[in-house]
Amino acid sequence: AQSVSQHNHHVILSEAASLELGCNYSYGGTVNLFWYVQYPGQHLQLLLKYFSGDPLVKGIKGFEAEFIKSKFSFNLRKPSVQWSDTAEYFCAVKNTGNQFYFGTGTSLTVIP
Amino acid sequence: DAGVIQSPRHEVTEMGQEVTLRCKPISGHNSLFWYRQTMMRGLELLIYFNNNVPIDDSGMPEDRFSAKMPNASFSTLKIQPSEPRDSAVYFCASSPDLGWTHNEQFFGPGTRLTVL
């Protein structure tokens, strides 16, 4: 079965630390890839997306993600996190069959 | 643009009662998705519609769950009868279309359902 794996369930960082959240998917065909963020008590919002072209995608709030096709990965990065980045982060994949799959999420806590 | 609108925002009900969740997608969007979020299972896709037609309902947990989209601006998710294990946050999302571009999903604020 196709799936999206987020290996880190809960990450705790101090402010200014660098962040990398892992995301791997299992689908051999062409995919669209997304990272969503859910701030406490709020709904999911799109951080960034990859459709085609440059595998390094820049998103809002200083986030970026790199699509590595050979590794079926789409890891999320930020060089310096802030307290306001405390949230739940979801990786999502859409395949050519128009099926969406979300990962189980990674909870990020940034300590001031 | 008001975004995706869901109602109610919170629902507390007793086991066995019927629950109806409502969603108004963003105007002009052709696709609508219902998700359920729990601590144990994360975010699960329940069903999605394209042009008001259900495309994939394989995520609907059982026959107690049903969803309808009578027109392009309204959808309901009904649970009858409800059970405590249905307690979750239910999100509705809409997307411009299912095509290979412009297929970002826009999420509503969610309905927090508690079944006692």
Side-chain angles (χ1 to χ4, degrees):
Chain A
Q2 296 172 35
S3 66
V4 178
S5 299
Q6 292 183 240
H7 314 296
N8 315 102
H9 296 294
H10 196 174
V11 174
I12 301 173
L13 295 172
S14 298
E15 274 193 318
S18 64
L19 170 72
E20 180 159 4
L21 302 182
C23 174
N24 288 89
Y25 63 94
S26 61
Y27 181 70
T30 304
V31 293
N32 289 170
L33 299 157
F34 308 83
W35 274 98
Y36 282 85
V37 61
Q38 185 178 27
Y39 296 104
Q42 298 188 27
H43 59 281
L44 278 79
Q45 304 169 47
L46 184 71
L47 263 183
L48 48 80
K49 56 188 176 184
Y50 170 80
F51 287 152
S52 64
D54 189 345
L56 185 62
V57 179
K58 303 285 187 183
I60 61 171
K61 304 186 179 184
F63 286 91
E64 65 177 32
E66 185 175 12
F67 171 47
I68 303 179
K69 188 174 182 179
S70 61
K71 295 184 178 180
F72 299 90
S73 69
F74 190 56
N75 292 355
L76 181 71
R77 299 195 292 250
K78 185 171 183 178
S80 177
V81 295
Q82 301 172 316
W83 175 78
S84 57
D85 293 325
T86 294
E88 187 110 14
Y89 293 81
F90 294 89
C91 180
V93 174
K94 177 179 177 292
N95 62 22
T96 51
N98 291 326
Q99 294 168 313
F100 284 88
Y101 298 90
F102 276 81
T104 52
T106 297
S107 175
L108 172 65
T109 300
V110 179
I111 302 171
Chain B
D1 189 346
V4 176
I5 299 172
Q6 290 187 248
S7 64
R9 294 293 306 276
H10 301 271
E11 176 82 27
V12 180
T13 190
E14 293 186 340
M15 182 175 62
Q17 297 297 307
E18 176 181 305
V19 174
T20 300
L21 312 180
R22 297 173 177 80
C23 176
K24 176 178 169 51
I26 293 173
S27 177
H29 283 193
N30 295 329
S31 299
L32 183 141
F33 307 79
W34 281 103
Y35 291 88
R36 178 172 67 177
Q37 185 180 37
T38 62
M39 287 289 290
M40 293 297 294
R41 301 173 69 92
L43 196 64
E44 303 172 278
L45 177 64
L46 301 177
I47 184 172
Y48 72 91
F49 297 82
N50 191 44
N51 293 322
N52 311 338
V53 176
I55 302 299
D56 186 350
D57 64 354
S58 59
M60 295 286 262
E62 49 196 278
D63 292 345
R64 296 184 297 107
F65 286 70
S66 62
K68 294 182 180 179
M69 192 164 186
N71 57 60
S73 60
F74 184 65
S75 176
T76 60
L77 178 68
K78 183 179 293 186
I79 308 172
Q80 180 184 21
S82 58
E83 297 181 3
R85 60 193 169 116
D86 300 330
S87 297
V89 180
Y90 290 81
F91 287 102
C92 176
S94 71
S95 177
D97 59 47
L98 283 180
W100 202 238
T101 58
H102 308 295
N103 58 9
E104 168 192 342
Q105 294 185 37
F106 295 80
F107 282 78
T111 295
R112 182 174 295 277
L113 173 64
T114 302
V115 183
L116 303 174

